[in-house]
Coordinates of all heavy atoms in Angstrom, one line a residue:
A1 N -19.2 -40.8 -1.2 CA -19.4 -39.4 -1.0 C -19.5 -39.0 0.5 O -20.3 -39.6 1.2 CB -20.7 -38.8 -1.7
G2 N -18.8 -38.1 0.8 CA -18.7 -37.7 2.3 C -18.1 -38.8 3.1 O -18.8 -39.2 4.1
L3 N -16.9 -39.1 2.7 CA -16.2 -40.3 3.6 C -16.3 -39.8 5.0 O -16.4 -40.7 5.9 CB -14.8 -40.4 3.0 CG -14.0 -41.5 3.7 CD1 -14.5 -42.9 3.5 CD2 -12.6 -41.5 3.1
V4 N -16.1 -38.6 5.3 CA -16.5 -38.1 6.6 C -17.2 -36.7 6.5 O -17.5 -36.4 5.3 CB -15.1 -37.8 7.4 CG1 -14.5 -39.1 7.9 CG2 -14.2 -37.1 6.6
L5 N -17.6 -36.2 7.6 CA -18.6 -35.1 7.5 C -17.8 -33.8 7.0 O -16.6 -33.7 7.1 CB -19.2 -34.8 8.9 CG -19.8 -36.1 9.4 CD1 -20.3 -35.8 10.8 CD2 -20.7 -36.8 8.6
W6 N -18.7 -32.8 6.6 CA -18.2 -31.5 6.1 C -17.4 -30.8 7.2 O -17.8 -30.8 8.4 CB -19.3 -30.6 5.6 CG -19.0 -29.3 5.2 CD1 -18.0 -29.0 4.2 CD2 -19.4 -28.0 5.7 NE1 -17.9 -27.6 4.2 CE2 -18.8 -27.0 5.1 CE3 -20.3 -27.7 6.9 CZ2 -18.9 -25.7 5.5 CZ3 -20.4 -26.4 7.2 CH2 -19.8 -25.4 6.4
A7 N -16.3 -30.3 6.8 CA -15.4 -29.6 7.8 C -16.0 -28.7 8.7 O -15.8 -28.8 9.9 CB -14.2 -29.1 7.2
G8 N -16.9 -27.9 8.4 CA -17.5 -26.9 9.1 C -18.4 -27.4 10.1 O -18.8 -26.7 11.1
A9 N -18.9 -28.7 10.0 CA -19.9 -29.2 10.8 C -19.3 -30.2 11.8 O -20.0 -30.8 12.7 CB -21.0 -29.9 10.0
A10 N -18.0 -30.4 11.7 CA -17.4 -31.4 12.6 C -17.1 -30.9 14.0 O -16.4 -30.0 14.2 CB -16.0 -31.9 12.0
P11 N -17.7 -31.6 15.0 CA -17.6 -31.1 16.3 C -16.1 -31.5 16.9 O -15.5 -32.4 16.3 CB -18.7 -31.8 17.2 CG -18.9 -33.1 16.3 CD -18.8 -32.7 14.9
A12 N -15.8 -31.0 18.1 CA -14.4 -31.3 18.5 C -14.5 -32.8 18.9 O -15.5 -33.3 19.5 CB -14.2 -30.4 19.8
Q13 N -13.5 -33.5 18.8 CA -13.4 -34.9 19.0 C -12.0 -35.3 19.4 O -11.0 -34.8 18.9 CB -13.7 -35.7 17.8 CG -13.8 -37.2 18.0 CD -14.2 -38.0 16.7 OE1 -13.4 -38.0 15.7 NE2 -15.4 -38.4 16.6
Q14 N -11.8 -36.2 20.5 CA -10.6 -36.6 20.9 C -10.0 -37.5 19.9 O -10.5 -38.4 19.6 CB -10.8 -37.3 22.3 CG -9.4 -37.6 22.9 CD -8.8 -36.4 23.5 OE1 -9.5 -35.4 23.8 NE2 -7.5 -36.4 23.8
V15 N -8.9 -37.1 19.3 CA -8.3 -37.9 18.3 C -6.9 -38.6 18.7 O -6.0 -37.8 19.1 CB -8.0 -37.0 17.0 CG1 -7.4 -37.8 15.8 CG2 -9.2 -36.4 16.5
P16 N -6.9 -39.9 18.8 CA -5.6 -40.5 19.2 C -4.6 -40.4 18.1 O -4.8 -40.1 16.9 CB -6.0 -42.0 19.4 CG -7.1 -42.1 18.4 CD -7.9 -40.8 18.4
R17 N -3.3 -40.6 18.6 CA -2.1 -40.7 17.6 C -1.8 -42.2 17.4 O -1.7 -42.9 18.4 CB -1.0 -39.9 18.3 CG 0.3 -39.9 17.5 CD 1.4 -39.4 18.3 NE 2.7 -39.4 17.6 CZ 3.2 -38.5 16.8 NH1 2.5 -37.5 16.5 NH2 4.4 -38.6 16.2
V18 N -1.8 -42.5 16.1 CA -1.5 -43.9 15.7 C -0.1 -44.0 15.4 O 0.6 -43.2 14.7 CB -2.3 -44.3 14.5 CG1 -2.0 -45.7 14.1 CG2 -3.8 -44.1 14.7
E19 N 0.6 -45.0 16.0 CA 2.0 -45.3 15.8 C 2.1 -46.5 14.8 O 1.7 -47.4 15.1 CB 2.8 -45.7 17.0 CG 2.7 -44.6 18.2 CD 3.6 -43.3 17.8 OE1 4.4 -43.5 17.1 OE2 3.2 -42.3 18.4
A20 N 2.9 -46.1 13.7 CA 3.2 -47.2 12.7 C 4.7 -47.5 13.0 O 5.6 -46.9 12.5 CB 3.1 -46.6 11.3
V21 N 4.6 -48.5 13.8 CA 6.0 -49.0 14.4 C 6.8 -49.6 13.2 O 6.3 -50.2 12.2 CB 5.9 -49.9 15.4 CG1 5.1 -49.4 16.7 CG2 5.1 -51.3 15.0
Y22 N 8.2 -49.4 13.3 CA 9.1 -49.9 12.4 C 9.3 -51.5 12.7 O 9.7 -51.8 13.7 CB 10.4 -49.2 12.4 CG 11.5 -49.9 11.5 CD1 11.4 -50.0 10.2 CD2 12.7 -50.3 12.1 CE1 12.4 -50.6 9.3 CE2 13.7 -50.8 11.4 CZ 13.5 -51.1 10.0 OH 14.5 -51.6 9.2
H23 N 9.2 -52.4 11.7 CA 9.3 -53.8 11.8 C 10.3 -54.2 10.8 O 9.9 -54.5 9.5 CB 8.0 -54.4 11.8 CG 8.0 -55.9 12.1 ND1 8.0 -56.9 11.3 CD2 8.0 -56.5 13.4 CE1 8.0 -58.1 12.0 NE2 8.0 -57.8 13.3
H24 N 11.6 -54.5 11.0 CA 12.6 -54.7 10.1 C 12.3 -56.2 9.4 O 12.9 -56.2 8.2 CB 13.9 -54.7 10.9 CG 14.2 -55.9 11.8 ND1 14.6 -57.2 11.3 CD2 13.9 -56.1 13.1 CE1 14.7 -57.9 12.3 NE2 14.2 -57.4 13.4
A25 N 11.6 -57.0 9.9 CA 11.4 -58.3 9.3 C 10.3 -58.4 8.3 O 10.0 -59.4 7.8 CB 11.1 -59.4 10.4
G26 N 9.8 -57.2 7.9 CA 8.8 -57.2 7.0 C 7.3 -57.0 7.6 O 7.2 -57.3 8.8
V27 N 6.3 -56.5 6.7 CA 5.0 -56.3 7.4 C 4.1 -57.5 7.0 O 4.2 -58.1 5.8 CB 4.4 -55.0 6.8 CG1 5.2 -53.9 7.4 CG2 4.2 -55.0 5.4
P28 N 3.4 -58.0 7.9 CA 2.4 -59.2 7.6 C 1.3 -58.7 6.7 O 0.7 -57.6 6.8 CB 1.9 -59.5 9.0 CG 1.9 -58.3 9.8 CD 3.1 -57.5 9.3
G29 N 0.9 -59.6 5.8 CA -0.2 -59.3 4.9 C -1.5 -59.8 5.4 O -2.6 -59.4 4.9
R30 N -1.5 -60.8 6.4 CA -2.7 -61.3 7.0 C -3.0 -60.7 8.2 O -2.2 -60.5 9.1 CB -2.6 -62.8 7.1 CG -2.3 -63.6 5.8 CD -3.6 -63.6 4.9 NE -4.8 -64.0 5.7 CZ -6.0 -64.0 5.3 NH1 -6.2 -63.7 4.0 NH2 -7.1 -64.3 5.9
P31 N -4.4 -60.5 8.6 CA -4.8 -59.8 9.8 C -4.5 -60.8 11.1 O -4.4 -60.3 12.2 CB -6.2 -59.5 9.7 CG -6.7 -60.5 8.5 CD -5.5 -60.6 7.7
E32 N -4.3 -62.1 10.9 CA -4.2 -63.0 12.0 C -2.8 -63.2 12.3 O -2.5 -63.9 13.2 CB -5.0 -64.3 11.8 CG -4.3 -65.1 10.5 CD -4.9 -64.8 9.2 OE1 -5.5 -63.7 9.1 OE2 -4.9 -65.6 8.3

């Protein structure tokens, strides 16, 4: 519940842009 805070209470925050790059050889399933 409340994965993030209620919209009306959220202060301004610097939000980065995430790039999901295209990788033609397939995406890895392991974090390492």
Side-chain angles (χ1 to χ4, degrees):
L3 180 62
V4 285
L5 311 181
W6 176 58
Q13 185 184 68
Q14 191 73 20
V15 179
R17 177 184 174 92
V18 178
E19 300 290 337
V21 297
Y22 172 62
H23 192 257
H24 67 88
V27 299
R30 295 291 310 176
E32 65 271 24

